[in-house]
């Protein structure tokens, strides 16, 4: 049986290749983190399925390229319309599959899926241009030419939204796509393939191969028919992809891990600071951008810690489908054990667990209590490695220079949060922070036109606005001489 009924949707568990559905001999289980139930048995692809998808995408590329931004934009807007028409069932399906809050999916995440598609379609049609300039009387004309087949490998923490952050600009640029979604959250990608077909996206333009990274993912990034590779995930996996891509000199875009600081100055609005700190537990801590290192000025540290503990204790943990729930489960048993391993090693090494520190025994399953670690040794694992769970660590500082040194003291540089009462002081702090995105007195304010990506081991490249097209297209400059014309 290759179809299941979930959340009011028919979900096909086969690959979507060349406008058709293709099953594999083996399957893997999609398991709901809410209660451990098996949602579907999904086709487990490998090299053969990847090759079929790449060949289908290559065959579809010339016609898709030749449609131009306007022709592609019309179809992409139709696809966004279908996402909006199915927003509620898509949100329910995503919550079943990855355990994130349903209210977040309904109000923010799924609307953003449609927004991603519309935004990049419109950017390609209306804003992807560069003014002509002259060199000794010669005109320079910049254009963005479709590059070919884009391999997209996406994570499980916001599956469809983060996939369309890549799918949108890739398709709008004129590339065709082979998507390998995370094996822990495969279902909405399959539904999205059906919506693309319903929207009239030509066969082969958008393909989905389900499976594991070591099998389908490895075959995809090593395929010589791939023109671009975009990956969101861990540093070790990115290193493996980079090695495979090197053989074909395939350009890569990586959005990787983070160990971001949240700096609280002594003149900060403490109520604002506490609220922003508690917000770092969003999505059960499974957010790459989270400010998981709370760097608090020693003059306000005690007051901050007391207020933060009280606010965190009031968070409601439970079934993510319930409106009042604020923290849901971890994605998978393997991941919960990984998160708990970090906490227990921190405890064993002498750090103190201020609150939390283990699974929620009342709920059982994959629910991990919001946790704060204090008094950890400098440069210890809990202060430098990405946990990717509801685990924050707190340190204190006495000067702004020390705060910046602590903030920059990891191999990551994805994001930072600064809470400060003086704008000039905040500007001095942010100037010296190494991060791709910095929020001052706010968090998670995102504009699709802005550059997004990480510094150091948090990634390679930037996406958003024209930066996305710089990656998914071949940027070309055509120079016209003022002479030689026969008219």
């Amino acid at each position: 049986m290759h179809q299941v009924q979930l959340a009011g949707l028919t979900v096909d568990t086969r690959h979507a290749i060349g406008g058709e559905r293709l099953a594999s001999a083996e399957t893997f289980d999609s398991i709901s983190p809410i209660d451990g139930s098996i949602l579907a048995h999904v086709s487990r692809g490998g090299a053969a399925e990847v090759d079929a998808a790449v060949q289908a995408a290559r065959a579809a590329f010339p016609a898709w390229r030749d449609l131009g931004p306007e022709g592609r934009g019309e179809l992409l807007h139709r696809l966004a319309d279908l996402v909006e028409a199915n927003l509620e069932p898509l949100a329910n399906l995503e919550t079943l599959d990855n355990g994130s809050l349903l209210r977040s999916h309904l109000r923010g995440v799924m609307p953003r899926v449609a927004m991603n598609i519309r935004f990049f379609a419109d950017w390609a049609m209306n804003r992807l241009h560069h003014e002509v300039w002259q060199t000794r009387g010669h005109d320079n004309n910049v254009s963005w030419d479709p590059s070919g087949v884009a391999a997209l490998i996406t994570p499980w923490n916001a599956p469809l939204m983060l996939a369309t952050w890549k799918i949108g600009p890739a398709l709008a640029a004129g590339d065709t796509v082979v998507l390998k979604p995370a094996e822990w959250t495969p279902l909405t990608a399959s539904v999205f393939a059906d919506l693309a077909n319903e929207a009239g996206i030509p066969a082969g333009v958008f393909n989905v191969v389900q499976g594991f990274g070591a099998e389908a993912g490895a075959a995809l990034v090593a395929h010589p028919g791939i023109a671009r590779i975009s990956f969101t995930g861990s540093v070790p996996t990115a290193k493996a992809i980079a090695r495979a891509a090197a053989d074909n000199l395939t350009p890569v875009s990586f959005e990787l891990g983070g160990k971001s600081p949240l700096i609280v100055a002594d003149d900060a609005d403490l109520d604002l600071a506490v609220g922003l700190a508690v917000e770092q537990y969003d999505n059960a801590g499974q957010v790459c951008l989270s400010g998981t290192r709370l760097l608090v000025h020693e003059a306000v540290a005690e007051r901050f810690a007391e207020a933060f503990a009280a606010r965190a204790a009031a968070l409601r943990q439970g079934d993510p489908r319930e409106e009042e729930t604020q923290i849901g489960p971890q994605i998978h048993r393997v991941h919960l054990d990984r998160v708990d391993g970090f906490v227990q090693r921190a405890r064993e090494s002498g750090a103190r667990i201020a609150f939390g520190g283990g699974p929620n025994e009342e709920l059982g399953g994959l629910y991990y209590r919001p946790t704060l670690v204090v008094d950890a040794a400098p440069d210890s694992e809990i202060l430098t490695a990405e946990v990717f769970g509801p685990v924050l660590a707190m340190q204190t500082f006495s000067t702004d220079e020390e705060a910046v040194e602590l903030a920059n003291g990891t191999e990551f540089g994805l994001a930072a949060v600064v809470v400060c009462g003086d704008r000039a002081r905040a500007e001095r702090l942010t100037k010296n922070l190494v991060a791709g995105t910095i929020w001052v007195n706010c968090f998670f304010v995102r504009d699709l036109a802005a550059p997004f990506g990480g510094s150091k081991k948090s990634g390679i490249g930037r996406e958003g606005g024209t930066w996305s097209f710089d990656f998914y297209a071949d940027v070309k400059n055509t120079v016209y001489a003022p002479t030689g014309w026969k008219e």
Side-chain angles (χ1 to χ4, degrees), residues 4-11 30-35 37 39 83-111 113 159-160 184-189 191 195 319-323 329 331:
V4 293
Q5 301 296 319
L6 292 167
L9 292 167
T10 299
V11 183
S30 178
I31 301 172
S32 177
I34 299 173
D35 57 11
S37 61
L39 300 174
V83 169
E84 289 176 341
N86 290 276
L87 190 148
E88 186 170 346
L90 281 169
N92 277 280
L93 178 62
E94 197 81 291
T95 293
L96 281 176
D97 206 20
N98 91 323
S100 295
L101 301 184
L102 177 58
R103 58 183 171 84
S104 295
H105 282 147
L106 287 169
R107 298 170 191 171
V109 178
M110 284 304 156
V113 169
L160 190 55
W184 286 348
T185 53
L187 301 182
T188 50
V191 174
L195 296 180
D319 191 320
R321 294 166 294 189
E322 296 177 0
E323 177 71 19
I331 183 68

Side-chain angles (χ1 to χ4, degrees), residues 61 64 72 120 128 143-154 162-179 226-232 251-255 462-475:
F61 173 68
W64 183 247
R72 295 190 295 266
F120 288 107
L128 191 62
S143 60
W144 286 261
D145 293 353
S147 63
V149 181
L152 312 180
I153 301 179
T154 52
L162 291 177
T164 54
W165 169 245
K166 303 176 187 295
I167 295 166
L171 293 182
D175 292 358
T176 52
V177 164
V178 179
L179 171 69
I226 294 298
R228 296 289 188 274
I229 299 170
S230 181
F231 167 73
T232 298
V252 298
S253 175
F254 290 157
E255 195 266 281
R462 294 292 184 270
E463 294 187 60
T466 298
W467 288 276
S468 287
F469 292 93
D470 287 344
F471 174 70
Y472 288 108
D474 291 322
V475 182

Side-chain angles (χ1 to χ4, degrees), residues 131 317 325 374 468 471 486:
E131 290 186 7
Q317 189 168 31
T325 295
V374 298
S468 287
F471 174 70
K486 293 186 176 180

Side-chain angles (χ1 to χ4, degrees), residues 83-413:
V83 169
E84 289 176 341
N86 290 276
L87 190 148
E88 186 170 346
L90 281 169
N92 277 280
L93 178 62
E94 197 81 291
T95 293
L96 281 176
D97 206 20
N98 91 323
S100 295
L101 301 184
L102 177 58
R103 58 183 171 84
S104 295
H105 282 147
L106 287 169
R107 298 170 191 171
V109 178
M110 284 304 156
R112 167 72 184 275
V113 169
M115 184 189 303
N116 285 343
I117 302 298
R118 291 193 198 282
F119 175 88
F120 288 107
D122 289 343
W123 196 279
M125 287 189 289
N126 304 319
R127 301 188 63 177
L128 191 62
H129 65 273
H130 195 292
E131 290 186 7
V132 175
W133 78 97
Q134 289 196 333
T135 304
R136 299 189 304 276
H138 296 63
D139 288 341
N140 293 272
N141 292 262
V142 175
S143 60
W144 286 261
D145 293 353
S147 63
V149 181
L152 312 180
I153 301 179
T154 52
W156 45 259
N157 56 324
L160 190 55
M161 189 273 282
L162 291 177
T164 54
W165 169 245
K166 303 176 187 295
I167 295 166
L171 293 182
D175 292 358
T176 52
V177 164
V178 179
L179 171 69
K180 208 295 284 183
E183 57 266 28
W184 286 348
T185 53
L187 301 182
T188 50
S190 182
V191 174
F192 190 80
D194 288 335
L195 296 180
N197 184 60
E198 185 179 347
I201 305 293
V205 169
F206 178 69
N207 308 273
V208 178
V209 177
Q210 307 281 14
F212 292 87
E215 299 166 357
L220 182 58
V221 298
H223 200 290
I226 294 298
R228 296 289 188 274
I229 299 170
S230 181
F231 167 73
T232 298
S234 71
V235 171
T237 301
K239 290 180 179 180
I241 292 173
R243 286 190 289 268
D247 283 342
N248 299 311
L249 289 179
T250 308
V252 298
S253 175
F254 290 157
E255 195 266 281
L256 308 177
K259 192 68 175 177
S260 301
L262 190 156
I263 299 172
V264 181
D266 55 341
D267 64 352
D269 179 330
L270 280 190
D271 187 61
L272 172 64
V274 168
L276 291 172
V278 171
E279 197 174 341
Q280 308 312 304
Y281 288 125
D282 184 49
N283 203 24
Q286 300 168 140
V287 179
C288 58
L289 294 164
S290 290
T292 56
R293 292 183 294 140
L294 307 179
L295 308 181
V296 186
H297 194 284
E298 60 187 14
V300 296
E302 185 175 350
R303 284 187 290 147
F304 173 88
E306 289 177 0
F308 177 63
R311 191 84 64 90
L315 291 171
R316 180 183 174 93
Q317 189 168 31
D319 191 320
R321 294 166 294 189
E322 296 177 0
E323 177 71 19
E324 52 285 356
T325 295
Q326 295 167 290
I327 297 182
Q330 303 305 120
I331 183 68
H332 194 279
R333 172 60 59 181
V334 169
H335 187 64
L336 180 138
D337 290 344
R338 179 182 180 275
V339 169
D340 191 51
F342 277 104
V343 175
Q344 301 317 319
R345 289 191 297 274
R347 192 197 307 266
E348 292 163 4
S349 67
R352 181 169 61 87
I353 309 303
F355 56 79
N360 188 325
E361 299 85 358
E362 296 176 8
L363 296 174
L366 302 181
Y367 295 85
Y368 202 88
R369 292 186 183 278
T371 297
L372 178 66
V373 180
V374 298
D375 301 331
D379 300 323
S380 61
E381 177 190 62
I382 199 67
L383 298 178
T384 57
E386 184 178 42
V387 178
F388 216 62
V391 178
L392 308 184
M394 179 174 159
Q395 298 171 271
T396 61
F397 64 89
S398 57
T399 67
D400 288 359
E401 291 74 20
E402 184 185 4
V404 170
E405 183 178 359
L406 289 171
N408 292 340
T410 75
E411 64 181 7
F412 298 108

